[in-house]
Structure formats: structure tokens, C-alpha cells
């Protein structure tokens, strides 16, 4: 994906935020591979929090991933999460610095009820659980994604043409592999 593609995705997310009447949007992943973070930013690490506001986009991650985040998501400000610091600390610091944030949207399908209650105590802002807005954005493919899918299909077809000669009755799948 190109840097421009990620900028377009951020622009689309911000438009969806305006439609939902929220001032900030939070995504996170902790060793569970939230592909929405990769889709919106390009960052593929397994531990991160993303906060998007109309004026800023930031990724908070630990020291294992800070350089990777800077390389993969140059349009985001990278904040290193220190030992004993929590994702919620990063959000609290960022929204305290931006007085325009009154409502914070989050991935309602990913945040537990207990997690949302803890956030409500930490943030003096209204929290709004949202449906999978980035997942819905991912359903519609842009030109770059379509080109990548076509390349993958061509590569798969070429490999299959070579492999199918080895497929015969009695040949084990592991032997074909």
C-alpha cells in the first residue's frame, strides 16, 4: 500500500467520525492481531493503541515496536508506551491535550463491558461504542487492493499449474506440499 492510500483511509475514517458525531476514535490490539489497525495505519505489530482525532493520528506501542511503527505508519505520531503504563494512559494524555474532544468512539465489538467501564472512570469524556466502522471500510477495495488481489491470483494460478502435475490418487497431501 502507498502512503497516499493510508492518508485516504484516514480521511474516510474522519468523515465517518463526523457522521457518527464523535471527536476521537480508539482502536487497540494486544497480541490478538487486530487487522483494523494495519488497515488504517499500515502498522502490523501485535501490541498497539491507535487514536484518531480530526487533527491527529497517533500510535502508542511498546519499545519492541516503536521503530517498526515509525517505518510502517509514517503519517502517525508514534508514542512509546513505557513499562507499567497502560493503553488508557496514552489515550488520557492525548485527549487532555486536545480540548475539542468531547466524545470518544471505540470498537464496540472489541472492548469488553468491564474495559469500557474502566475507561469511563478514566476519561471525563463520553464514550460511544461503535459498530465495526473500519471493518466496513475494509469491505470496499480500493485500486491498490484490487491490483494486489489480481497479482496474488495470478501467482496462485501459476503455482497451481506446477503443483497439479503431482496430484494423483494415493499421493499424500504432505508429499504434494
Amino acid at each position: 500500500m502507498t502512503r497516499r492510500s493510508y492518508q485516504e483511509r484516514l480521511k474516510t475514517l474522519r468523515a465517518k467520525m463526523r457522521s457518527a458525531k464523535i471527536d476521537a476514535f480508539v482502536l487497540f490490539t494486544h497480541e490478538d492481531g487486530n487487522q483494523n489497525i494495519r488497515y488504517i495505519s499500515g502498522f502490523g505489530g501485535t501490541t498497539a493503541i491507535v487514536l484518531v482525532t480530526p487533527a491527529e493520528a497517533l500510535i502508542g506501542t511498546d519499545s519492541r515496536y516503536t521503530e517498526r511503527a515509525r517505518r510502517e505508519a509514517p503519517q502517525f505520531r508514534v508514542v512509546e508506551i513505557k513499562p507499567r503504563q497502560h493503553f488508557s494512559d496514552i489515550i488520557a494524555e492525548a485527549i487532555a491535550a486536545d480540548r475539542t474532544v468531547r466524545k470518544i468512539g471505540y470498537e464496540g465489538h472489541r472492548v469488553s463491558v468491564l474495559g469500557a467501564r474502566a475507561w469511563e472512570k478514566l476519561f471525563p469524556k463520553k464514550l460511544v461504542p461503535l459498530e465495526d466502522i473500519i471493518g466496513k471500510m475494509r469491505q470496499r477495495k480500493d485500486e491498490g487492493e484490487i491490483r494486489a488481489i489480481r497479482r496474488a491470483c495470478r501467482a496462485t494460478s501459476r503455482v497451481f499449474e506446477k503443483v497439479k502435475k503431482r496430484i494423483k490418487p494415493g499421493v499424500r497431501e504432505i508429499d504434494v506440499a
Side-chain angles (χ1 to χ4, degrees), residues 116-129:
R117 285 182 184 158
W119 281 3
E120 286 172 347
K121 292 175 185 172
L122 292 171
F123 312 138
K125 312 292 180 180
K126 180 173 177 160
L127 293 173
V128 181

Side-chain angles (χ1 to χ4, degrees), residues 154-165 167:
R154 284 192 297 271
T156 302
S157 293
R158 284 192 305 271
V159 169
F160 180 71
E161 287 302 315
K162 292 179 181 182
V163 170
K164 77 178 182 181
K165 296 171 189 169
I167 300 173

Side-chain angles (χ1 to χ4, degrees), residues 3-75:
R3 186 174 182 170
R4 180 173 170 80
S5 298
Y6 291 113
Q7 290 169 336
E8 286 299 315
R9 290 174 181 177
L10 268 176
K11 183 179 174 182
T12 301
L13 175 58
R14 286 178 170 132
K16 291 186 177 298
M17 290 167 52
R18 282 189 301 277
S19 295
K21 295 181 176 33
I22 60 170
D23 308 304
F25 186 68
V26 176
L27 302 97
F28 74 93
T29 186
H30 185 69
E31 309 299 337
D32 64 352
N34 183 351
Q35 292 302 308
N36 288 344
I37 288 179
R38 178 175 281 222
Y39 177 83
I40 204 69
S41 70
F43 176 61
T46 59
T47 301
I49 185 125
V50 168
L51 177 71
V52 177
T53 68
E56 181 172 44
L58 72 82
I59 292 177
T61 191
D62 63 48
S63 60
R64 296 174 298 165
Y65 293 116
T66 53
E67 289 305 313
R68 179 177 177 180
R70 286 185 184 101
R71 186 177 61 252
E72 292 179 351
Q75 68 280 8

Side-chain angles (χ1 to χ4, degrees), residues 69-139:
R70 286 185 184 101
R71 186 177 61 252
E72 292 179 351
Q75 68 280 8
F76 281 72
R77 179 170 65 95
V78 176
V79 176
E80 185 175 321
I81 298 173
K82 306 291 185 218
R84 293 191 257 323
Q85 194 175 28
H86 301 281
F87 284 159
S88 56
D89 299 328
I90 300 299
I91 298 167
E93 288 172 18
I95 62 174
D98 186 343
R99 300 196 192 284
T100 65
V101 174
R102 296 195 191 328
K103 286 184 180 179
I104 303 170
Y106 63 92
E107 294 177 294
H109 65 288
R110 293 189 57 81
V111 177
S112 69
V113 171
L114 293 176
R117 285 182 184 158
W119 281 3
E120 286 172 347
K121 292 175 185 172
L122 292 171
F123 312 138
K125 312 292 180 180
K126 180 173 177 160
L127 293 173
V128 181
L130 298 173
E131 289 189 30
D132 192 10
I133 63 175
I134 294 181
K136 290 177 183 174
M137 287 171 57
R138 289 172 54 194
Q139 292 174 355

